[in-house]
Amino acid sequence: MTSSDPESLVDLLLRYERTAAEVLPSAAYDFIAEGAGEEISSREAVAAWRAYRLRPHVLRDVSHVDTSTSVLGVRLSAPVLIAPTAFHVMSNAQGEVETARGVRAAASLMVVPTLSSMPLEAVAAALSGPWWLQVYCTRERELTRRLVADAARLGASAVVLTGDTPLVARKRRVIFPPVTADQYLTNFRRYLARDAEYAFATSVDPSIGVEIVTWLREESGLPVVVKGILRGDDAKACIEAGAEGLIVSNHGGRQLDRALPTAAALADVVDAVGDSCEVLVDGGIRSGIDVLIALALGARAVLLGRPVQWALAAEGASGVERVLRTIRDEFFQAMALAGASSTSQIDRSLLSAAFKP
Ligand SMILES: Cc1cc2nc3c(=O)[nH]c(=O)nc-3n(C[C@H](O)[C@H](O)[C@H](O)COP(=O)(O)O)c2cc1C
């Protein structure tokens, strides 16, 4: 099943990021690359996955390796999804529609951000398969209510509630995203009074608790996945409130600086929830071996954030497709060399207890 593309994902992403740095205005490049505060968490994320060491099996039949899995009932050829990142129009004039074309070509699943710079209708049409909507819960609850209802009508099959953003953390490089007011409000404009001032940063409701999971589930009629979990106790509380999935995430190091790397937080969350829900993870995933390690720790699947924007800036939809195909090929190879012929054979015994982030 593997293709013969000789370029590793790490090299491909280095090349795409370098191209992005050349072709994008510096404010766009910096907005995508940056982390919050001193950028300690955003810098640590990649290295944390690389701290693990593997204990591969040998002499297992790997003549057929099946990289496929399902997430919340959606069948995928590999356990890799697209994380919600705001304003793809920063990287490509067609924004999320262009991303969607690449995702569709690689048969992956896109978490479409609330802050999509293209209308949900257009993104959903370009995907023409299952997708999830990421939401922040607004103070004006009616906005969120209408947004999730529209997403459900347009075919979204889950709602991803970002839980780690009661306020938008301060960044040192670029504070406001370099997009126009129109691009900023693409998916809100229709719900607002004409010419309404709408400052997103102050519109997120900092008072919400886990009961919002129940509300979102009732309003949307869709399963709710909570994103931004780093602790087992929070994970349990979300499940009790009705969450069907969790994403272990520190928002790519863009919220609380010095938050734990997700590679170090994942096992606690998995152990706390057992089989009661699916746990996904994002942050610093840059190779097929990272995917193998995440699954060994108990993740169902991983999500990619910045790599998608770099690919989009460098090569548009075909770049996004290439990233997804390359990581799938690398995961295939990592599975075969670790002696796993299906994702169900990947477990924590593949990891050495002596090496951890
Ligand atoms: C430019 C940018 C914008 C983002 N916007 C959002 C967002 O609107 N909502 C959200 O839940 N996460 C957002 N994230 C976080 C990603 O969903 C994801 O958690 C993170 O990027 C994963 O780390 P990675 O970039 O190392 O793959 C954003 C990340 C970036 C880089």
Side-chain angles (χ1 to χ4, degrees), residues 80-83 282 285-286 302-308 323-324 327:
V80 182
L81 289 71
I82 305 297
D282 74 19
I285 302 276
R286 302 293 182 265
V302 305
L303 302 92
L304 303 176
R306 293 177 184 86
V308 174
V323 164
L324 289 165
I327 198 166

Side-chain angles (χ1 to χ4, degrees), residues 232-274:
D233 51 0
D234 285 358
K236 278 191 195 154
C238 290
I239 291 168
E240 277 159 27
E244 288 179 42
L246 301 172
I247 302 177
V248 172
S249 174
N250 65 18
H251 213 117
R254 298 166 74 85
Q255 283 296 99
L256 180 64
D257 195 25
R258 301 195 217 178
L260 196 62
T262 54
L266 176 58
D268 279 351
V269 173
V270 167
D271 292 345
V273 305

Side-chain angles (χ1 to χ4, degrees), residues 146-324:
R146 294 175 67 181
L147 184 72
V148 296
D150 281 348
R153 187 173 48 74
L154 291 166
S157 61
V159 172
V160 175
L161 170 70
T162 300
D164 59 16
T165 311
L167 52 80
V168 178
R170 281 296 297 265
K171 319 281 193 300
R172 289 160 99 195
R173 292 196 240 176
V174 181
I175 295 173
F176 297 108
V179 295
T180 65
D182 267 4
Q183 290 163 341
Y184 198 87
L185 288 179
T186 305
N187 283 302
F188 282 114
R189 217 180 299 127
R190 73 195 80 180
Y191 311 129
L192 300 171
R194 228 176 129 69
D195 300 329
E197 282 285 317
Y198 187 69
F200 175 74
T202 56
S203 75
V204 179
D205 188 347
S207 75
I208 54 170
V210 284
E211 69 287 344
I212 203 72
V213 172
T214 320
W215 179 82
L216 269 173
R217 203 178 154 163
E218 280 163 9
E219 288 298 331
S220 65
L222 298 174
V224 175
V225 176
V226 183
K227 176 171 182 280
I229 300 293
L230 292 171
R231 304 169 50 121
D233 51 0
D234 285 358
K236 278 191 195 154
C238 290
I239 291 168
E240 277 159 27
E244 288 179 42
L246 301 172
I247 302 177
V248 172
S249 174
N250 65 18
H251 213 117
R254 298 166 74 85
Q255 283 296 99
L256 180 64
D257 195 25
R258 301 195 217 178
L260 196 62
T262 54
L266 176 58
D268 279 351
V269 173
V270 167
D271 292 345
V273 305
D275 291 334
S276 60
C277 89
E278 294 182 8
V279 178
L280 284 68
V281 64
D282 74 19
I285 302 276
R286 302 293 182 265
S287 79
I289 297 176
D290 295 340
V291 183
L292 180 72
I293 290 167
L295 266 62
L297 288 164
R300 185 89 186 173
V302 305
L303 302 92
L304 303 176
R306 293 177 184 86
V308 174
Q309 295 250 16
W310 303 144
L312 200 57
E315 280 179 11
S318 58
V320 174
E321 181 187 356
R322 186 151 175 201
V323 164
L324 289 165

Side-chain angles (χ1 to χ4, degrees), residues 54-63 334-341 345 349-350:
L54 291 155
R55 302 169 64 235
H57 287 291
V58 297
L59 300 177
R60 300 266 169 122
D61 179 357
V62 289
S63 52
M335 282 179 69
L337 293 174
S341 57
Q345 289 178 359
S349 78
L350 284 176

